[in-house]
Amino acid sequence: VVNLSRMNKIRDLDPVAAIVTAEAGVILQKLHDVAAEAGFLFPMSMASEGSAEVGGAISTNAGGTAVLRYGNTRHLVLGLEAVLPDGNVISSLRKLVKDNTGYNLSQYLIGAEGTLGIVTAATLRLYPLLRQKLVLVAAIPDAKAALDLLADFRRAGAEYLSAFEIMSREALKLVTKHMPGTRFPGRDDAPWYLLIELGASSPLTPLRELAEEVAGDALARGKMLDAVVAESETQAKQFWHLRESIPDSLRAQGKGVHFDIALPLAGLAAFLDEVGATIAALKAGVTLMPFGHIGDGNLHYNMYAPKEIGAEAFAALKKQLQDIVFGEIERRHGSISAEHGIGVERKALLAATKSPAELAMMRAIKRALDPDNIMNPGKVFD
Amino acid sequence: VVNLSRMNKIRDLDPVAAIVTAEAGVILQKLHDVAAEAGFLFPMSMASEGSAEVGGAISTNAGGTAVLRYGNTRHLVLGLEAVLPDGNVISSLRKLVKDNTGYNLSQYLIGAEGTLGIVTAATLRLYPLLRQKLVLVAAIPDAKAALDLLADFRRAGAEYLSAFEIMSREALKLVTKHMPGTRFPGRDDAPWYLLIELGASSPLTPLRELAEEVAGDALARGKMLDAVVAESETQAKQFWHLRESIPDSLRAQGKGVHFDIALPLAGLAAFLDEVGATIAALKAGVTLMPFGHIGDGNLHYNMYAPKEIGAEAFAALKKQLQDIVFGEIERRHGSISAEHGIGVERKALLAATKSPAELAMMRAIKRALDPDNIMNPGKVFD
């Protein structure tokens, strides 16, 4: 294991270009803080930002809750410094937004999970701080309504949409059960809830008026059952706390089976309805509690079995659930790993989801750049 | 030469996901039209969009005037279909926004100038149509003011900034001389002009108020000498016509020497001032007329010699100018090709601008994927 946590300097923050140069060991939260002090937003946002480091985020092409607005890590990286398998160091830390000179080697390393080289530093984009935010939780009648509302909010003001997250009632029920002081915002009987955040860099933008227009229309047409707008920053944080407490609540309740999947948006509601019905029909005591970045077509399609289930029975059940879910994802042209990568656990699945030509191309690149297989051996490929 | 112009179908436009699937031969203007009919914006925007094709845009990672807002081609491509050197076809045309399963092969092919495979189709992002636009031309006292104003507009409303282009007085003088019916918007005695476009998907956004606030402050502080807001779509088109007529006006006037360069924003004004002075000091009859995407740090740093100059003298002068400009770009950590790629002409420069380790990595990738060098041989590399 190579640990870069002590390589944690922020080398430069250029306010003219709105670019920060950070070493691999810098914690994301630190980047948020340093950027904010200089009047900027570093947009990479995820529950683990207090411990996740720049190098890890880049090597896994990390996602999170702000991908909808700012893109994933791949879109935030302008250049990299990296150590190659042969010991050479390459650097594209020139603070350039555009540079079409030869192959973009940074893009080769982003998301390669450390198998092609070790990222040691990066130039990353910053954005102006948002001077207005609006967070709302909407109760909706079905998964299809989530997609309708996504389109409505985009049409009404695409540039303001900072987050568009879905939470099942079951997920929120567990949170309110296990997390002290939490409760449903508004009614608690809808099958699905959306957590929507809008933001604007101008105080002149009528965010509230815009949100009320979309929500008013959606309520009138039955696409929304209820909408609660956070009236303070504290309340906005409470809404986000609900969303971010889902994984811990699941752990408190049962034995989890987790999936990080993506689907084409047009097929996402059908997936939730139909695969949910298939799993229910097993009558295996599985409780589904999907949530996630539905605005990106990315769900943490999680579920749990009762805590009491024996290890062997659980392993068999898990295998059965994986076969169902991965089979359906393949059939519906989705992704078996939207933001969590391949690592060790999903290596066998990679072969199932990619064509022989794609796998051969990946292996050819790996062999060419790391012929002795010294970079994170055993990850992504065997 | 492989010509894909007849492979020109738009295979699918998915309004839920806001993704279009287009073949390599589709002309960009066609994509604009088809997207607009469905209520969407296809944001790739450049003077050549009436003839440029999807495959070419992808293989060159094309830029244009909307990179500031929507990113370059690399950011608009979600997946590709491509023929590899061994004849195999790979496809990532699943309509997914997030997919972290193995190396992102699409990103490897984008900007590779056809040297790693032939792109035959792509899934591309669409955005909601903008329902408001504001175009203004500002006269400014110096290049530094352009960067100050960029920061001001970003702080005031980053999400509205669709284009931020600079034009030198010399460039506009040539346009008004050679293009019938054109004239300076407002005063004609400033050294530099900015063409700024703001856009919003919501009619509720007070774009004009926001622009007037920034411009009013800039005029009061002397960062802006004059600002003319287009009062109609016709006038907005006239402003853009000025910008887009610069290359033809140069051709009408003299023998051109062209550069497509990028610089870190913080060093861009000094480059213009200092390298401009160096070239003037040659007293070689060269007229500088830089213009371009200054919001991205990208300039078309163009100049011309009088038409009467002999072929031999012009060749020597061109060489001298290239040595100066490329030397200064290297010294100031810029890019010798911001959006135009390497092709044949800039092959020798690639070696000068990249480290041996970077060149070795590029060559290793090329050798691994195209061992017989049958894909666009002689481009990018020798």
Side-chain angles (χ1 to χ4, degrees):
Chain A
V1 172
V2 180
N3 185 338
L4 299 186
S5 293
R6 289 171 63 188
M7 197 168 172
N8 63 357
K9 279 195 199 62
I10 293 177
R11 293 192 193 161
D12 176 68
L13 190 154
D14 178 338
V16 181
I19 294 172
V20 64
T21 309
E23 292 183 347
V26 173
I27 297 206
L28 299 184
Q29 183 60 53
K30 169 89 177 168
L31 269 185
H32 284 269
D33 297 343
V34 169
E37 262 170 57
F40 290 99
L41 172 78
F42 174 66
M44 211 183 286
S45 189
M46 56 196 79
S48 60
E49 64 198 32
S51 59
E53 294 173 5
V54 166
I58 291 170
S59 291
T60 59
N61 186 30
T65 55
V67 171
L68 188 64
R69 183 166 185 149
Y70 301 101
N72 49 28
T73 301
R74 191 178 293 288
H75 301 109
L76 301 174
V77 173
L78 290 170
L80 291 181
E81 177 190 86
V83 182
L84 299 183
D86 61 10
N88 277 312
V89 175
I90 57 169
S91 168
S92 54
L93 297 183
R94 298 179 170 206
K95 293 180 281 181
L96 301 175
V97 175
K98 292 165 81 173
D99 182 17
N100 277 352
T101 50
Y103 304 160
N104 191 317
L105 302 179
S106 299
Q107 292 293 333
Y108 278 77
L109 293 166
I110 297 168
E113 303 187 32
T115 61
L116 300 178
I118 299 171
V119 173
T120 53
T123 42
L124 297 157
R125 280 175 191 275
L126 301 175
Y127 291 82
L129 278 176
L130 298 178
R131 286 188 285 176
Q132 265 197 89
K133 266 187 197 175
L134 184 145
V135 177
L136 72 98
V137 171
I140 55 173
D142 49 38
K144 166 100 176 38
L147 303 175
D148 290 345
L149 284 166
L150 176 64
D152 291 348
F153 272 100
R154 278 188 163 154
R155 253 193 309 273
E159 51 273 62
Y160 309 122
L161 210 49
S162 296
F164 199 90
E165 301 277 314
I166 197 166
M167 307 177 281
S168 72
R169 176 165 184 263
E170 208 54 57
L172 282 185
K173 260 174 66 186
L174 278 202
V175 172
T176 56
K177 178 177 169 192
H178 292 287
M179 298 291 145
T182 57
R183 57 182 187 80
F184 277 78
R187 61 193 285 177
D188 64 1
D189 61 345
W192 298 99
Y193 294 81
L194 296 174
L195 174 58
I196 301 169
E197 181 168 315
L198 308 178
S201 58
S202 168
L204 301 175
T205 305
L207 270 196
R208 178 124 195 172
E209 198 181 334
L210 190 144
E212 283 176 355
E213 202 171 285
V214 176
D217 177 73
L219 287 163
R221 291 151 154 270
K223 288 191 281 186
M224 222 186 246
L225 303 174
D226 192 15
V228 185
V229 175
E231 296 297 341
S232 65
E233 198 158 327
T234 308
Q235 203 180 4
K237 279 188 182 150
Q238 284 166 357
F239 290 0
W240 272 110
H241 178 61
L242 292 173
R243 162 67 182 79
E244 285 171 355
S245 300
I246 296 173
D248 283 345
S249 306
L250 185 150
R251 264 187 290 276
Q253 179 74 21
K255 287 195 173 155
V257 184
H258 308 270
F259 300 93
D260 167 44
I261 62 173
L263 287 151
L265 275 179
L268 205 147
F271 176 93
L272 285 171
D273 294 345
E274 294 164 20
V275 181
T278 302
I279 292 173
L282 297 177
K283 298 192 190 300
V286 173
T287 306
L288 280 164
M289 43 178 293
F291 66 99
H293 320 300
I294 196 170
D296 309 314
N298 175 198
L299 293 172
H300 299 311
Y301 192 67
N302 293 351
M303 55 200 78
Y304 65 89
K307 274 202 167 155
E308 303 71 42
I309 190 172
E312 209 168 312
F314 179 66
L317 177 60
K318 188 172 170 179
K319 173 76 173 62
Q320 189 181 19
L321 292 167
Q322 286 174 334
D323 287 348
I324 292 171
V325 172
F326 291 134
E328 289 289 346
I329 286 168
E330 211 35 42
R331 200 166 71 77
R332 294 161 194 260
H333 309 296
S335 170
I336 55 149
S337 188
E339 55 178 20
H340 293 168
I342 296 299
V344 175
E345 266 187 42
R346 298 186 191 85
K347 275 193 293 191
L349 288 164
L350 186 67
T353 197
K354 298 288 173 186
S355 68
E358 286 172 304
L359 289 169
M361 184 168 167
M362 289 183 203
R363 284 184 189 283
I365 290 163
K366 169 70 173 171
R367 261 197 316 272
L369 300 182
D370 182 20
D372 300 327
N373 192 25
I374 60 171
M375 288 284 159
N376 223 0
K379 310 302 183 318
V380 184
F381 308 105
D382 268 321
Chain B
V1 172
V2 180
N3 186 338
L4 300 185
S5 294
R6 288 171 63 187
M7 197 167 173
N8 62 358
K9 280 198 198 61
I10 292 177
R11 292 191 193 162
D12 177 67
L13 190 153
D14 178 338
V16 181
I19 293 172
V20 64
T21 309
E23 293 183 346
V26 173
I27 296 206
L28 299 184
Q29 183 60 54
K30 170 88 177 170
L31 269 184
H32 285 268
D33 297 343
V34 169
E37 263 170 57
F40 290 99
L41 173 76
F42 174 66
M44 210 182 287
S45 189
M46 56 194 80
S48 60
E49 64 198 34
S51 59
E53 294 173 4
V54 165
I58 290 171
S59 292
T60 58
N61 185 32
T65 56
V67 171
L68 187 65
R69 183 166 185 149
Y70 300 101
N72 49 28
T73 302
R74 189 177 296 289
H75 302 109
L76 301 175
V77 172
L78 291 170
L80 291 182
E81 176 190 86
V83 183
L84 299 182
D86 62 9
N88 277 312
V89 174
I90 57 169
S91 169
S92 53
L93 297 183
R94 297 177 171 208
K95 291 180 281 181
L96 302 174
V97 175
K98 291 166 82 173
D99 182 18
N100 276 352
T101 50
Y103 304 160
N104 190 317
L105 302 180
S106 300
Q107 290 294 333
Y108 296 0
L109 292 167
I110 298 168
E113 304 188 31
T115 61
L116 300 179
I118 299 170
V119 173
T120 53
T123 42
L124 297 157
R125 281 175 190 274
L126 300 176
Y127 291 82
L129 277 176
L130 298 178
R131 285 187 287 173
Q132 265 198 89
K133 266 187 198 175
L134 183 145
V135 177
L136 72 96
V137 172
I140 56 172
D142 49 38
K144 165 99 177 38
L147 303 175
D148 290 345
L149 284 166
L150 177 64
D152 291 348
F153 272 100
R154 278 189 164 152
R155 254 193 310 273
E159 52 272 62
Y160 309 121
L161 210 48
S162 296
F164 199 90
E165 301 277 314
I166 198 167
M167 307 176 282
S168 71
R169 175 164 184 262
E170 209 54 56
L172 282 185
K173 260 174 66 186
L174 279 202
V175 172
T176 56
K177 178 177 168 189
H178 291 288
M179 298 291 147
T182 57
R183 58 184 185 82
F184 277 79
R187 60 193 286 176
D188 64 2
D189 60 345
W192 297 100
Y193 293 81
L194 296 173
L195 174 59
I196 302 169
E197 182 168 316
L198 307 178
S201 59
S202 167
L204 300 176
T205 304
L207 270 197
R208 178 124 193 171
E209 199 181 334
L210 190 143
E212 284 176 353
E213 203 171 284
V214 177
D217 178 72
L219 286 164
R221 292 151 152 272
K223 288 192 281 187
M224 221 186 244
L225 304 174
D226 191 17
V228 185
V229 175
E231 295 297 342
S232 65
E233 198 158 327
T234 307
Q235 203 180 4
K237 279 189 181 150
Q238 283 165 356
F239 289 1
W240 272 110
H241 178 60
L242 291 173
R243 162 66 183 81
E244 286 171 354
S245 301
I246 296 174
D248 284 345
S249 306
L250 185 149
R251 263 187 290 277
Q253 179 73 22
K255 286 193 176 158
V257 184
H258 309 269
F259 300 93
D260 167 45
I261 62 174
L263 286 151
L265 274 179
L268 205 147
F271 176 92
L272 285 171
D273 293 345
E274 294 164 21
V275 182
T278 302
I279 292 173
L282 296 178
K283 298 193 189 301
V286 173
T287 305
L288 279 164
M289 41 179 294
F291 66 99
H293 319 300
I294 196 169
D296 308 314
N298 176 198
L299 294 172
H300 299 312
Y301 192 67
N302 293 351
M303 55 200 78
Y304 66 89
K307 273 201 167 155
E308 302 72 40
I309 192 171
E312 210 168 310
F314 180 66
L317 176 61
K318 188 171 170 179
K319 174 75 174 58
Q320 187 181 19
L321 292 166
Q322 285 173 335
D323 287 348
I324 292 170
V325 173
F326 291 134
E328 289 289 345
I329 287 168
E330 210 37 41
R331 198 166 73 76
R332 295 161 192 262
H333 310 297
S335 169
I336 55 150
S337 188
E339 55 177 20
H340 293 167
I342 296 299
V344 174
E345 266 186 42
R346 298 186 191 85
K347 275 193 293 190
L349 287 164
L350 186 67
T353 198
K354 299 287 174 187
S355 69
E358 287 173 304
L359 289 170
M361 182 168 167
M362 289 184 202
R363 285 184 189 284
I365 292 163
K366 169 70 174 172
R367 261 196 317 271
L369 300 182
D370 182 20
D372 300 326
N373 192 25
I374 59 170
M375 287 286 161
N376 222 2
K379 308 304 182 316
V380 184
F381 306 106
D382 268 321

